[in-house]
Amino acid sequence: GESVGLHLPTLSVQEGDNSIINCAYSNSASDYFIWYKQESGKGPQFIIDIRSNMDKRQGQRVTVLLNKTVKHLSLQIAATQPGDSAVYFCAENSGGYQKVTFGTGTKLQVIP
Amino acid sequence: DTAVSQTPKYLVTQMGNDKSIKCEQNLGHDTMYWYKQDSKKFLKIMFSYNNKELIINETVPNRFSPKSPDKAHLNLHINSLELGDSAVYFCASSQGVGKVSGANVLTFGAGSRLTVL
């Protein structure tokens, strides 16, 4: 079936450096993508989203890039901080009913 | 005020028992969900309700029965619990259905960790 997956299960980054978390998806009908952050003991929280008619979207310290040609999206976090340590999920929706499919998650560890 | 609240936060029970997890959202959202997160952090959708109507029912054993008394509540009842049901169950809600901007953004509860012994 269709799936959304990540290249790296764990990413360790020095505090202050930039982080890049990657995600591959296989459903070519996906038209909406969301990144979530899950801290330990909590539910996932929305970070940023992007629609398929866009290539790039920026938020506060975060940027999402979408490459529809290779079905790949990435989350870039600028000046990574200890509070960014969490598991990050990409998720996709192919429209219609609210079926949001999550990728396998990447654990980001920030080294002080 | 907690936007999506679920109870209990922890639940430890024996195999074969029946248990329920409750969920309430005060966001005025139309759609609610149950997700299951396994030990490897994989999040899989189980059910989705829109205005009390079931719209998504993934391949979930019929021992799992969701109930939505109103659009602010979505409870999950599990019969004859099995070891494989041990997981963290997340309730979530979203504004609506379809391609309206922001409608697909999920707000999650803190999770209910179910341990079946």
Side-chain angles (χ1 to χ4, degrees):
Chain A
E2 302 293 355
S3 66
V4 182
L6 295 175
H7 296 307
L8 295 171
T10 304
L11 177 65
S12 295
V13 175
Q14 203 73 35
E15 181 179 355
D17 287 352
N18 297 335
S19 303
I20 299 176
I21 301 171
N22 296 302
C23 180
Y25 65 95
S26 58
N27 185 355
S28 56
S30 297
D31 58 2
Y32 178 62
F33 303 89
I34 316 113
W35 281 99
Y36 287 88
K37 172 187 180 183
Q38 185 179 19
E39 295 175 280
S40 180
K42 298 182 179 179
Q45 288 182 295
F46 170 84
I47 302 173
I48 192 168
D49 59 357
I50 188 168
R51 295 210 170 270
S52 59
N53 61 355
M54 301 172 70
D55 297 322
K56 179 180 179 179
R57 190 158 188 228
Q58 286 185 292
Q60 191 174 14
R61 283 203 306 120
V62 294
T63 301
V64 55
L65 299 176
L66 175 63
N67 185 331
K68 295 180 286 293
T69 303
V70 295
K71 299 194 189 73
H72 181 271
L73 69 158
S74 65
L75 177 71
Q76 300 179 1
I77 305 173
T80 312
Q81 302 168 0
D84 295 327
S85 294
V87 177
Y88 290 81
F89 294 93
C90 63
E92 61 90 12
N93 176 263
S94 56
Y97 284 127
Q98 299 292 77
K99 184 176 177 179
V100 177
T101 303
F102 282 77
T104 52
T106 292
K107 183 176 181 179
L108 177 65
Q109 294 178 321
V110 181
I111 304 164
Chain B
D1 256 359
T2 304
V4 180
S5 59
Q6 45 184 118
T7 55
K9 189 169 175 63
Y10 299 98
L11 188 53
V12 181
T13 189
Q14 298 286 334
M15 250 184 352
N17 284 349
D18 303 338
K19 291 293 177 186
S20 293
I21 307 172
K22 296 184 176 181
C23 180
E24 176 182 5
Q25 54 96 3
N26 62 6
L27 297 166
H29 286 170
D30 289 333
T31 310
M32 295 186 73
Y33 312 77
W34 278 108
Y35 277 81
K36 179 180 179 180
Q37 186 171 49
D38 62 21
S39 57
K40 296 179 182 176
K41 298 292 188 183
F42 187 69
L43 270 164
K44 184 172 172 57
I45 190 167
M46 300 173 69
F47 302 103
S48 174
Y49 272 72
N50 179 256
N51 276 320
K52 301 192 298 177
E53 184 180 338
L54 181 66
I55 56 172
I56 295 173
N57 185 350
E58 290 296 283
T59 310
V60 178
N62 57 15
R63 298 182 294 104
F64 291 78
S65 52
K67 284 188 172 50
S68 183
D70 54 63
K71 75 172 193 177
H73 296 84
L74 180 62
N75 303 323
L76 183 65
H77 188 77
I78 315 170
N79 289 327
S80 303
L81 279 156
E82 300 178 356
L83 293 176
D85 297 332
S86 295
V88 181
Y89 292 85
F90 285 98
C91 178
S93 69
S94 68
Q95 187 176 1
V97 177
K99 299 186 179 182
V100 174
S101 179
N104 299 45
V105 175
L106 302 176
T107 300
F108 282 86
S112 297
R113 181 176 292 277
L114 171 65
T115 303
V116 182
L117 304 175

